[in-house]
């Protein structure tokens, strides 16, 4: 298995393989870039089909965190951890203590947090042996979803202003895919802002809750991408913008919380070609990580909210640069992030 020649290897500073026989821990931590500060990124637990699949995932995710932190204006770099195992069967206190010791062994170069398959409880076990964790109850920032939803709201405002020249969401129709943690908070914020809502979820009860509370119009999961409105807000799955969705899409704006929304980079080009404004996922969904970056004994909620609100200006800058250069917004976002962390490494 190649590391330096791996297709997802992108100059990662460090890749650590951790093993602890007694607890059965097999884990990989990837530190992509620490030019802006120590690497921050969640720990994922997943029953990977192979070690190669786990390595691919951690390399890709760690790189993504560097870009996300750079554009969120955080003094953090990018990193990520994966534990190879089934979160439904393989969790134990010993496993998370061993993982905590592995994180601790890096002396603060990497800070971990929850991610897919890892709960706050698991992170709190790690926190017993390392202080390099974020997102614990004691740290004060709590559930990231309301902050993520607020970031998406200001991102939608930025997109609507740029694309439609409207400074209010009053009467703007937003089709929200997924009424989960982020989607339901987003529906509340949009409703307060006067938007009209259409919502879908594969969980009928979740849709009905949002429909009852905010007067959202429920539609079947397969219908949401074709809703005739101003904004399509993907808040469920990744890879939602693919060839099929492009054919159905009617909204001139795509702006939502889901990670990895483009099935392939060429779909970003295709959105641009069709005149659809795309708010790059890792920029618009950074509210949760921004909030976490403020946690600690001096946690100031208003300062965190103001920081999340700056997603608006970052997106306006990206939209402007993309238009001026004739490139997709996804590429403009990558370039702006690269400028930020490259500048930091040159200054060091
Ligand atoms: P969640 O699991 O609470 O909600 C996702 C919802 O999507 C669920 O209600 C699920 O039933 C629904 N869903 C699944 N497949 C669907 C489909 N085909 N059509 C419609 N609905 C479907 O997750 P969440 O925390 O709300 O996160 C939503 C998305 O935002 C994810 O992609 C996540 O990675 C991303 N994200 C979340 C945060 C956060 O703070 N929670 C931060 C950054 C990014």
């Amino acid at each position: 298995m190649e590391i330096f020649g791996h297709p997802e290897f992108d100059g990662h500073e460090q890749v650590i393989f951790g093993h602890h026989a007694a607890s059965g821990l097999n884990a990989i931590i990837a530190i992509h870039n620490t030019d802006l500060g120590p690497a921050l990124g969640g720990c994922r637990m997943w029953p990977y089909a192979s070690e190669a699949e786990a390595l691919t995932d951690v390399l890709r995710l760690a790189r993504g965190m560097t870009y996300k932190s750079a554009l969120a204006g955080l003094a953090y770099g990018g990193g990520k951890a994966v534990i190879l195992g089934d979160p439904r069967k393989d969790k134990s206190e010993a496993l998370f203590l061993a993982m905590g010791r592995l994180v601790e062994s890096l002396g603060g170069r990497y800070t971990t947090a929850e991610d897919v398959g890892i709960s706050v409880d698991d992170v709190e076990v790690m926190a017993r042996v390392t202080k390099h964790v974020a997102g614990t109850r004691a740290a004060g920032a709590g559930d990231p979803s309301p902050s993520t939803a607020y970031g998406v709201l200001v991102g939608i405002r930025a997109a609507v202003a740029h694309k439609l020249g409207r400074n209010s969401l009053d009467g703007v129709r937003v089709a929200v895919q997924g009424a989960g943690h982020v989607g339901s908070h987003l529906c509340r914020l949009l409703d307060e802002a006067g938007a009209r809502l259409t919502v879908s979820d594969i969980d009928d009860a979740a849709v009905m809750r949002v429909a009852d509370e905010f007067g959202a119009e429920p539609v079947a999961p397969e219908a949401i991408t074709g809703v005739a409105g101003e904004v399509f807000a993907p808040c469920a799955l990744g890879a939602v913008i693919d060839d099929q969705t492009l054919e159905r899409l009617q909204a001139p704006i795509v702006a939502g919380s889901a990670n990895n929304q483009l099935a392939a980079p060429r779909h970003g080009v295709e959105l641009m070609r069709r005149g659809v404004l795309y708010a790059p996922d890792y920029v618009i969904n950074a509210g949760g990580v921004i909030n976490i970056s403020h946690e600690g004994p001096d946690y100031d909620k208003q300062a965190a909210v103001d920081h999340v609100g700056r997603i608006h200006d970052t997106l306006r800058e990206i939209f402007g640069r993309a238009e001026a250069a004739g490139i997709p917004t996804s590429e403009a976002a990558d370039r702006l992030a690269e400028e930020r962390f490259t500048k930091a490494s040159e200054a060091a």
Side-chain angles (χ1 to χ4, degrees), residues 243 246-247 269-276:
D243 294 340
L246 282 171
E247 290 310 318
V269 180
E270 196 51 34
L271 284 172
M272 176 184 71
R273 211 182 57 74
R274 292 171 186 240
V276 177

Side-chain angles (χ1 to χ4, degrees), residues 223-246:
I224 196 76
T225 52
V227 169
E230 282 77 23
V231 183
F232 170 51
C235 297
L237 311 165
V240 63
I241 305 295
D242 59 12
D243 294 340
Q244 287 77 41
T245 306
L246 282 171

Side-chain angles (χ1 to χ4, degrees), residues 106-249:
L106 298 173
R109 278 178 53 73
Y110 166 68
T111 294
T112 198
E114 312 79 301
D115 198 81
V116 176
I118 296 290
S119 67
V120 176
D121 287 340
D122 304 331
V123 176
E124 294 202 333
V125 176
M126 294 190 233
R128 284 196 237 147
V129 290
T130 179
K131 61 178 186 302
H132 305 298
V133 295
T136 58
R137 292 181 187 89
D143 175 11
S145 308
S147 304
T148 304
Y150 177 59
V152 175
L153 176 81
V154 300
I156 290 176
R157 283 190 188 283
V160 165
H162 182 86
K163 183 74 187 170
L164 308 175
R166 290 167 70 165
N167 287 321
S168 156
L169 295 182
D170 204 23
V172 167
R173 180 161 294 278
V174 184
V176 180
Q177 181 184 46
H181 287 99
V182 180
S184 55
H185 282 295
L186 178 64
C187 285
R188 175 175 49 78
L189 295 172
L190 286 167
D191 181 50
E192 286 164 8
R196 293 180 299 155
L197 297 168
T198 305
V199 67
S200 77
D201 198 294
I202 49 171
D203 175 352
D204 289 341
V207 176
M208 290 326 293
R209 263 196 306 276
V210 172
D212 285 349
E213 255 185 273
F214 310 117
E217 183 193 327
V219 294
E222 58 280 8
I224 196 76
T225 52
V227 169
E230 282 77 23
V231 183
F232 170 51
C235 297
L237 311 165
V240 63
I241 305 295
D242 59 12
D243 294 340
Q244 287 77 41
T245 306
L246 282 171
E247 290 310 318
R248 283 197 296 267
L249 199 63

Side-chain angles (χ1 to χ4, degrees), residues 45 86-93 95-96 117-119 122:
M45 184 167 185
D86 187 337
R88 288 166 305 178
K89 297 197 302 234
D90 300 331
K91 285 188 178 184
S92 69
E93 190 179 38
L95 183 94
F96 290 115
I118 296 290
S119 67
D122 304 331

